């Protein structure tokens, strides 16, 4: 640096992909932020709280989790990112704003490829790179060799997203203004856990993540990734990365985090009452009032489900406790553009009788016979609500989650007047948790089936809990990297 303020560019391509989802993520599925819309993701940056560095927004692309990304889509987005980086190169720093669990057809360890290509375009070995990630991201050795300052959320559900991005910006600013290139310690933690067993609202994840907040002397940042269990690739696992100036301190802290995680592996349990769908429906029937929530966990679109799995619907339409129960029930949602079009042609009040489900290729379909109750159209696409007695079935033209009271209100469902809500979701998002009068999780089939031990993995590295036994008294094998490699 020559006395000028250091410059850093923010770029990223981020999503989370299940190997088991028939859906493919296309270029059209990505939203691309630029300019102020990137900076608003980093509250401390535009408000001047990270004053020492000029952060320049480049393109940041993000898509809803789903199936693997088409290679042509990744190539097109990468080109856009590299063009922006090259246009202002050389940079002092790069801040990657990414999720970290992207799959691209025909590639492995995509984020390591992205980081290497961006570093090359930004100016090579001299550039300092940071990354703000989701704790469900994957962190391979190759990624950490390239990125000096990776960090991730400390909460799931993720209520600390802006703070995490700001923390990454501050770490980068610290490195750029002090001239110190911190070392980082990395450890693959040989454990794969579904997200619903690692909520930080409950133990042992609560204590593990709390222990990162106050790192020992010589440590800048202590970060722990749970990883993403539904990706069938070599890097799939939890991981710890600890960054700082003191090589011994970071190695020790990284080992501590990894060993504590492994020692707790059998204590991770579903973060709520969990069982089969029939069991969940029994629990709903016994509940005194609503709304009672059942998470239909196997096809949760925000965890990588395709949204086209109709297995639960098949069970609901056959259950008179649901279709003729004491109050209204709603199932959300099935992506079925054909079903939505059919409902629009039939019109409100008309009889609907269609096979639905499997629009991306999931084999289970269901016969849906009812009445077109409502049609809606908003920025997330078209919606048709089909009614069978007390059950309302939400069909959507595009993949979309139902995470808030407003998401339901926009399709004409008043949760306060609904007795039973069956939702393709995992743990309840905060707003739904607030209105729920009871909640259970149903273990259902789909691309993000929580019973990962039953799924067919072919490419993961071993050993990996729960597929392999780990040695009693497992000790962390920590690697330390200094300059960018
Ligand atoms: Zn996540």
């Amino acid at each position: 640096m020559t006395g000028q303020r250091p410059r850093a560019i923010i770029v990223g391509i981020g999503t989370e992909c299940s190997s088991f989802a028939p859906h493919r993520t296309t270029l059209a599925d990505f939203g691309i932020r630029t300019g102020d819309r990137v900076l608003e993701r980093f509250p401390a940056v535009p408000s001047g709280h990270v004053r020492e560095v000029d952060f320049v927004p480049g393109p940041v692309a993000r898509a809803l989790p789903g199936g693997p990304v088409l290679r042509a889509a990744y190539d097109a987005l990468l080109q856009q990112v590299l063009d922006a980086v090259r246009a202002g190169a050389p940079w002092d720093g790069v801040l990657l704003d990414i999720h970290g669990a992207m799959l691209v057809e025909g590639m492995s360890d995509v984020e390591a490829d992205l980081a290497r290509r961006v570093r090359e375009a930004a100016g090579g070995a001299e550039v300092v790179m940071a990354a703000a990630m989701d704790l469900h991201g994957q962190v391979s050795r190759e990624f950490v060799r390239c990125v000096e300052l990776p960090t991730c959320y400390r909460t799931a559900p993720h209520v600390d997203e802006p703070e995490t991005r700001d923390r990454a910006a501050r770490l980068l600013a610290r490195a750029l203004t002090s001239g110190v290139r911190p070392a980082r310690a990395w450890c693959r933690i040989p454990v794969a856990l579904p997200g619903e067993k690692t909520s930080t609202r409950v133990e042992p994840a609560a204590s593990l993540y709390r222990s990162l907040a106050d790192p020992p002397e010589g440590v800048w940042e202590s970060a722990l990734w749970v990883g993403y269990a539904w990706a069938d690739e070599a890097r799939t696992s939890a991981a710890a990365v600890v960054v700082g100036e003191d090589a011994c301190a970071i190695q020790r802290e990284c080992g501590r985090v990894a060993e504590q995680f492994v020692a707790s592996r059998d204590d991770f349990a579903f973060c709520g009452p969990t069982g089969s769908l029939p069991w969940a429906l029994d629990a709903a029937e016994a509940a005194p009032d609503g709304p009672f929530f059942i998470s239909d966990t196997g096809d949760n679109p925000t965890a990588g489900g395709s949204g086209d799995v109709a297995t639960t619907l098949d069970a609901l339409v056959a259950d008179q406790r649901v279709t003729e129960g004491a109050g209204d029930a709603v199932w959300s949602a099935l992506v079925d553009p054909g079903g939505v079009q059919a409902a629009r042609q039939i019109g409100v009040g008309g009889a609907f009788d269609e096979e639905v489900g499997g629009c991306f290729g999931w084999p289970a379909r269901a016969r849906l016979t009812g009445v077109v109750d409502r049609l809606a159209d908003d920025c997330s696409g078209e919606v048709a609500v089909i009614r069978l007695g007390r059950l309302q079935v939400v069909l959507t033209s595009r993949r979309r989650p139902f995470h808030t009271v407003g998401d339901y209100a926009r399709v004409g469902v008043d949760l306060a007047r609904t007795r039973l809500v069956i939702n393709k979701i995992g743990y309840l998002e905060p707003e739904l948790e607030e209105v729920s009068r009871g909640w259970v999780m149903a273990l259902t089939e789909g691309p993000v089936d929580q019973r990962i031990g039953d799924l067919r993995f072919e490419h993961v590295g071993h050993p990996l809990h729960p597929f392999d036994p780990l040695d009693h008294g497992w000790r962390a094998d920590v690697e330390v990297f200094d300059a960018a490699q």
Side-chain angles (χ1 to χ4, degrees):
M1 274 166 269
T2 55
Q4 290 169 337
R5 285 158 60 86
R7 295 163 61 246
I9 186 165
I10 304 172
V11 291
I13 307 171
T15 188
E16 177 182 69
C17 308
S18 166
S19 299
F20 305 98
H23 166 258
R24 289 294 174 269
T25 301
T26 67
L27 193 54
D29 291 319
F30 282 88
I32 303 175
R33 287 174 179 249
T34 55
D36 289 346
R37 296 207 52 230
V38 171
L39 293 180
E40 71 195 19
R41 288 169 60 77
F42 297 80
V45 171
S47 62
H49 286 96
V50 188
R51 277 189 293 270
E52 314 85 344
V53 172
D54 284 331
F55 281 96
V56 177
V60 173
R62 280 185 92 81
L64 188 69
V69 178
L70 295 177
R71 178 64 193 253
Y74 174 69
D75 287 344
L77 293 168
L78 180 63
Q79 197 54 53
Q80 210 168 322
V81 165
L82 296 179
D83 286 348
V85 173
R86 284 195 196 104
W91 297 92
D92 301 300
V94 171
L95 178 41
L96 293 178
D97 179 3
I98 56 177
H99 179 290
M102 179 161 54
L103 296 175
V104 173
E105 286 190 321
M107 295 180 71
S108 60
D109 202 357
V110 180
E111 281 79 6
D113 176 75
L114 173 68
R116 272 194 305 266
R117 304 285 296 273
V118 168
R119 173 178 287 285
E120 222 171 76
E126 296 306 307
V127 183
V128 184
M129 289 185 76
M133 300 172 66
D134 190 304
L135 62 81
H136 298 117
Q138 321 273 27
V139 180
S140 68
R141 176 188 288 111
E142 289 65 33
F143 182 78
V144 179
R145 285 169 87 102
C146 188
V147 178
E148 291 104 328
L149 299 161
T151 192
C152 65
Y153 308 149
R154 291 174 177 165
T155 60
H158 309 313
V159 294
D160 64 336
E161 297 185 17
E163 292 100 293
T164 301
R165 289 189 283 269
D166 277 348
R167 206 165 62 244
R170 287 195 171 98
L171 281 167
L172 184 56
R174 181 173 176 182
L176 292 177
T177 53
S178 67
V180 173
R181 297 289 290 263
R184 63 271 187 214
W186 168 81
C187 183
R188 172 185 186 267
I189 302 175
V191 176
L193 288 166
E196 274 53 44
K197 285 189 172 176
T198 51
S199 165
T200 60
R201 286 174 181 157
V202 294
E203 296 298 350
S207 297
L208 270 163
Y209 276 92
R210 217 170 22 242
S211 79
L212 307 177
D214 190 17
E217 187 77 26
V219 172
W220 287 17
E221 177 76 359
S222 192
L224 171 63
W225 284 259
V226 165
Y228 181 71
W230 295 282
D232 186 13
E233 59 171 343
R235 66 178 179 168
T236 298
S237 75
V241 178
V242 176
V243 172
E245 295 165 63
D246 181 335
C248 291
I250 61 171
Q251 189 164 12
R252 234 182 356 254
E253 168 71 354
C254 188
R256 178 196 71 78
V257 174
E259 284 169 15
Q260 195 179 332
F261 194 98
V262 169
S264 314
R265 65 188 180 280
D266 293 321
D267 301 333
F268 288 98
F270 287 115
C271 55
T274 303
S276 66
L277 181 62
W279 167 85
L281 291 168
D282 288 346
E285 202 189 9
D289 57 3
F292 186 92
F293 281 77
I294 297 175
S295 294
D296 181 0
T297 56
D299 190 30
N300 171 12
T302 53
S306 46
D308 68 335
V309 180
T311 320
T312 297
L313 175 63
D314 210 27
L316 296 179
V317 298
D319 193 324
Q320 291 187 347
R321 295 175 302 174
V322 177
T323 57
E324 296 168 23
D328 271 352
V330 60
W331 181 64
S332 56
L334 184 74
V335 190
D336 199 301
V340 172
Q341 279 322 307
R344 294 185 85 86
Q345 277 163 14
I346 293 162
V348 172
F352 183 95
D353 185 2
E354 301 279 333
E355 283 261 309
V356 294
C359 72
F360 297 117
W362 192 266
R365 291 169 64 78
R367 176 91 179 264
L368 180 57
T369 309
V371 172
V372 179
D373 198 59
R374 292 189 298 283
L375 297 168
D377 194 353
D378 65 16
C379 57
S380 299
E382 295 172 341
V383 171
V385 179
I386 311 299
R387 182 179 276 279
L388 294 78
R390 305 308 295 258
L391 174 64
Q392 303 162 83
V393 176
V394 181
L395 303 180
T396 63
S397 63
R398 291 170 58 187
R399 300 173 65 249
R400 61 192 279 180
F402 285 77
H403 280 185
T404 65
V405 173
D407 289 339
Y408 282 98
R410 277 189 286 281
V411 301
V413 174
D414 179 359
L415 287 184
R417 298 163 59 115
T418 305
R419 178 173 163 75
L420 174 59
V421 183
I422 305 112
N423 188 355
K424 289 191 179 194
I425 194 171
Y427 41 61
L428 290 189
E429 292 296 317
E431 207 173 295
L432 298 185
E433 192 187 30
E434 206 163 290
V435 299
S436 85
R437 304 297 296 267
W439 166 62
V440 297
M441 286 198 290
L443 297 173
T444 50
E445 73 162 32
V448 291
D449 194 318
Q450 298 287 324
R451 299 158 291 190
I452 59 168
D454 296 344
L455 295 172
R456 236 180 106 85
F457 288 85
E458 290 171 2
H459 305 291
V460 294
H462 295 280
L464 187 64
H465 173 87
F467 310 110
D468 309 301
L470 300 182
D471 292 341
H472 186 66
W474 179 88
R475 297 305 301 268
D477 182 10
V478 177
E479 292 180 48
V480 175
F481 305 93
D482 37 30
Q485 297 178 7

